[in-house]
């Protein structure tokens, strides 16, 4: 037992493993309250694009990170959480693709994020705003240093605040 519980983000749904920890059960409960059904990973019908993990054992978490980092990009979201995505794929690669397809310059782009998985995007695009996220306390200083504006969280009009700061309204 690796002491790991996970969500798998697919094209059709967010799939879950069996959860025992209170923090993951609370996440499922919050999704249920908002009408988001999360089927068991055994019902996964297609590929998944991202894995969100919760570690229950810090020593095993280090071993898991070392193993996964050989094959995937491991994004530390602050213990006990992490995201695992394909190497060489990020929000920054998506932005580059869209800019090339639409013949846009990066100077004409604006990005908004709230977590450490947004770092590649913040590194790429100058016009950037960080929305507050209480889960990301461990990365807060680094994230703030990467962006032009720091705003409230999305539930407290942070996106509206960011649009106003960029004079997009």
């Amino acid at each position: 037992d690796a002491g790991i519980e996970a969500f798998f983000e697919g094209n059709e749904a967010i799939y879950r493993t069996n959860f025992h920890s209170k923090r993951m059960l609370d996440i499922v409960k919050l999704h249920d309250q908002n009408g988001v059904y999360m089927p068991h990973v055994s019902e996964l019908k297609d590929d998944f694009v991202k894995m969100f993990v919760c570690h229950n054992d810090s020593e095993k978490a280090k071993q898991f990170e070392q193993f996964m980092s050989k094959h995937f990009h491991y994004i530390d979201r602050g213990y006990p959480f992490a995201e695992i995505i394909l190497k060489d794929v990020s929000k920054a690669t998506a932005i580059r693709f869209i800019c090339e397809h639409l013949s846009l310059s990066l100077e004409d782009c604006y990005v908004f994020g709230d977590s450490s998985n947004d770092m590649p995007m913040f590194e790429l695009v100058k016009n950037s705003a960080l929305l507050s996220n209480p889960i990301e306390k461990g990365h807060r200083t680094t994230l703030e240093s990467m962006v032009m504006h720091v705003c409230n969280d999305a539930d407290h009009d942070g996106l509206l605040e960011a649009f106003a700061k960029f004079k997009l309204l």
Side-chain angles (χ1 to χ4, degrees), residues 6-18:
F7 293 112
F8 296 84
E9 293 185 23
N11 293 321
E12 301 295 321
I14 300 172
Y15 300 87
R16 60 179 177 76
T17 58
N18 294 326

Side-chain angles (χ1 to χ4, degrees), residues 6-161:
F7 293 112
F8 296 84
E9 293 185 23
N11 293 321
E12 301 295 321
I14 300 172
Y15 300 87
R16 60 179 177 76
T17 58
N18 294 326
F19 295 141
H20 305 287
S21 69
K22 180 179 179 342
R23 58 186 166 253
M24 292 299 261
L25 290 169
D26 286 346
I27 291 172
V28 171
K29 183 178 178 181
L30 181 65
H31 280 80
D32 284 345
Q33 290 170 346
N34 289 299
V36 178
Y37 171 66
M38 299 172 68
H40 190 267
V41 71
S42 63
E43 297 179 43
L44 183 68
K45 293 179 178 69
D46 57 7
D47 293 336
F48 61 93
V49 295
K50 180 170 66 171
M51 188 171 143
F52 181 82
V53 298
C54 176
H55 301 285
N56 297 317
D57 180 320
S58 61
E59 199 56 43
K60 289 180 181 177
K62 292 175 191 171
Q63 294 170 358
F64 183 74
E65 178 180 359
Q66 289 172 349
F67 173 76
M68 294 304 284
S69 294
K70 294 175 190 173
H71 309 283
F72 300 94
H73 184 60
Y74 187 95
I75 304 168
D76 179 4
R77 297 282 302 269
Y79 186 79
F81 300 110
E83 286 184 33
I84 301 165
I85 60 173
L86 295 172
K87 282 195 182 234
D88 302 322
V89 175
S90 70
K91 294 177 182 183
T93 56
I95 290 168
R96 278 196 183 100
F97 176 83
I98 291 168
C99 284
E100 288 174 19
H101 181 74
L102 298 175
S103 300
L104 296 173
S105 72
L106 291 173
E107 291 76 29
D108 293 326
C109 294
Y110 295 83
V111 297
F112 311 90
D114 67 353
S115 68
S116 54
N117 69 1
D118 296 316
M119 285 181 182
M121 179 176 73
F122 291 151
E123 290 170 346
L124 180 67
V125 179
K126 179 183 174 189
N127 300 315
S128 55
L130 174 67
L131 305 182
S132 180
N133 180 345
I135 295 173
E136 291 286 329
K137 290 177 188 170
H139 297 286
R140 189 80 186 153
T141 303
T142 302
L143 290 166
E144 287 178 358
S145 71
M146 299 177 81
V147 299
M148 290 180 74
H149 300 293
V150 177
C151 304
N152 284 318
D153 63 35
D155 290 339
H156 295 95
D157 296 327
L159 197 54
L160 183 62
E161 180 183 345

